[in-house]
Amino acid sequence: MDEITKIVQQALEEIQNCENSSELNSVRVKYLGKKGIVTSLMKKLKELAPEERPIFGAAVNKAKNELLKKINEKLDELSQREKEKKYAAMAVDVTLPGARKDIGHFHILTQIQKELEDIFISMGFSVVEGPEVEDTWHNFDALNTPEWHPARDVQDSFYFTDKILLRTHTSPVQIRTMLNTQPPIAIISPGRVYRRDYDATHLPMFTQMEGLFVDKNVTVKHLKYCLEEMVTRVFGKDAKIRLKPSFFPFTEPSFEVDVWFGNDWLEILGAGMVDPNVFKSVGYDPEIWSGFAFGLGLERIAMVKYGIKDIRDFIRNDVKFLENY
Ligand code: FA5
């Protein structure tokens, strides 16, 4: 009986000292396995006197049960600790800075276009688009631009056939809109246009934004208000602009608007009061309807706003340049 007590004490101590479940399993096998120390005690039964056997047997069973219970308790404790350790190793520190993905941004011209769209939308204009491949009637004739006008020359424009060309301005969208709608009209129309031009302030493919406002009793004051509103919102309150008298076949009177840029004036748009002949070509009565129109160059606006000296930077696709805006 003393031996049993000693074995149990020894086993309990070993169980207590186990650091993990596999050590614990070894202890279990050592004492309770088929050839384990406690299991082997049963073999001693036959050496004992018959009256001692039940007492000894019961004591061995009691020892076995006690050890089993302790082993299971220890197993629970160890596996709980192991789980905690595993979860701690898996834990994520949500306060660490993440891996930053460079997702890019809108091209500077798209940004300017959206900015201008927002300004005109806030004044009640809506945005419409037209085709880049146009016919000469929409691009020239309906805009009161006669055969002799230099813009019609093949030296100045890109023709597919005698009557089909890449539009040279966004003004044909005025015609398409007026043919589809009755006044009052307030639209802007951004898009690409094409000309045989190429230098530091001229591209062969550039972006314009057309504006058209048609209603009764429209005057130059309405035009000036809209342009000044646009210019101060894009360039700030101190922006210096000037209106110069100019000529377009489709407006009368006509103006060019310059903005102070670096140490010189840069022309950003053409504008004027819609010519009665244009109204006639779309079937509007010029005695009833009046309006203003303008066409501005988006690259020019971006150049002035950001101090870009060479217009060709917009189409070079140099990421170093584009990242600045
Ligand atoms: C026109 O294209 C007229 N359709 C504008 C207009 C509309 C006048 C409605 C009256 C009523 P212009 O050719 O001046 O006008 O061009 C307008 C603007 O486009 C210019 O002020 C300039 O900012 C820009 N622009 C003209 N040519 C180029 C070019 N090759 N590269 C970049 N921008 C240009």
Side-chain angles (χ1 to χ4, degrees), residues 7-246:
I7 289 171
V8 168
Q9 257 167 16
Q10 173 68 24
L12 287 177
E13 200 173 305
E14 285 180 35
I15 290 168
Q16 203 45 51
N17 289 338
C18 279
E19 298 273 341
N20 55 52
S21 48
S22 81
E23 270 178 44
L24 185 65
N25 195 42
S26 309
V27 174
R28 186 184 61 79
V29 172
K30 180 177 169 190
Y31 288 93
L32 304 177
K34 261 191 200 140
K35 290 177 183 161
I37 296 169
V38 175
T39 321
S40 308
L41 284 173
M42 282 303 196
K43 289 174 192 151
K44 294 196 168 166
L45 271 180
K46 52 186 183 295
E47 294 165 20
L48 297 174
E51 66 274 17
E52 286 175 328
R53 286 180 193 169
I55 304 164
F56 186 76
V60 173
N61 266 333
K62 193 179 152 230
K64 205 169 135 186
N65 287 336
E66 189 185 346
L67 291 184
L68 245 159
K69 193 174 154 234
K70 283 280 181 253
I71 286 171
N72 282 336
E73 279 172 17
K74 186 72 181 175
L75 186 65
D76 280 351
E77 180 197 320
L78 287 176
S79 50
Q80 181 64 27
R81 214 193 292 160
E82 280 164 18
K83 238 192 265 169
E84 274 164 16
K85 242 194 193 159
K86 189 173 139 199
Y87 290 154
M90 277 163 54
V92 176
D93 181 354
V94 292
T95 66
L96 285 174
R100 196 183 292 271
K101 276 234 167 72
D102 202 351
I103 55 165
H105 58 74
F106 284 123
H107 189 279
I108 175 176
L109 280 179
T110 311
Q111 293 177 42
I112 285 283
Q113 183 179 323
K114 283 171 178 289
E115 186 179 345
L116 288 170
E117 283 176 3
D118 284 349
I119 292 171
F120 283 105
I121 286 170
S122 80
M123 289 194 270
F125 286 72
S126 37
V127 183
V128 299
E129 285 187 344
E132 287 174 32
V133 177
E134 261 299 0
D135 55 63
T136 46
W137 187 80
H138 286 92
N139 199 80
F140 297 124
D141 299 277
L143 287 159
N144 197 36
T145 305
E147 288 282 357
W148 52 259
H149 196 277
R152 295 187 72 134
D153 200 305
V154 287
Q155 300 301 316
D156 292 301
S157 308
F158 296 101
Y159 282 85
F160 294 101
T161 68
D162 281 358
K163 297 227 171 311
I164 306 289
L165 78 164
L166 290 172
R167 66 179 179 187
T168 59
H169 51 178
T170 43
S171 297
V173 185
Q174 290 184 27
I175 301 300
R176 291 180 177 277
T177 306
M178 286 191 279
L179 287 172
N180 280 333
T181 336
Q182 288 304 307
I185 291 174
I187 56 126
I188 51 165
S189 183
R192 290 205 180 96
V193 302
Y194 303 84
R195 291 181 199 178
R196 291 181 184 268
D197 278 346
Y198 195 56
D199 61 39
T201 51
H202 294 81
L203 286 176
M205 177 188 82
F206 61 103
T207 323
Q208 282 192 341
M209 184 180 274
E210 192 77 7
L212 174 69
F213 185 83
V214 182
D215 206 334
K216 288 173 181 157
N217 306 315
V218 181
T219 71
V220 175
K221 260 165 103 177
H222 298 116
L223 168 63
K224 237 190 123 193
Y225 170 79
C226 281
L227 294 180
E228 277 169 358
E229 178 71 10
M230 186 258 309
V231 165
T232 50
R233 278 168 75 175
V234 174
F235 301 117
K237 289 230 175 330
D238 302 329
K240 255 204 292 185
I241 63 166
R242 70 175 182 195
L243 263 73
K244 296 181 299 189
S246 181

Side-chain angles (χ1 to χ4, degrees), residues 240-257:
K240 255 204 292 185
I241 63 166
R242 70 175 182 195
L243 263 73
K244 296 181 299 189
S246 181
F247 173 79
F248 296 102
F250 34 92
T251 47
E252 182 60 37
S254 302
F255 310 96
E256 259 160 21
V257 176

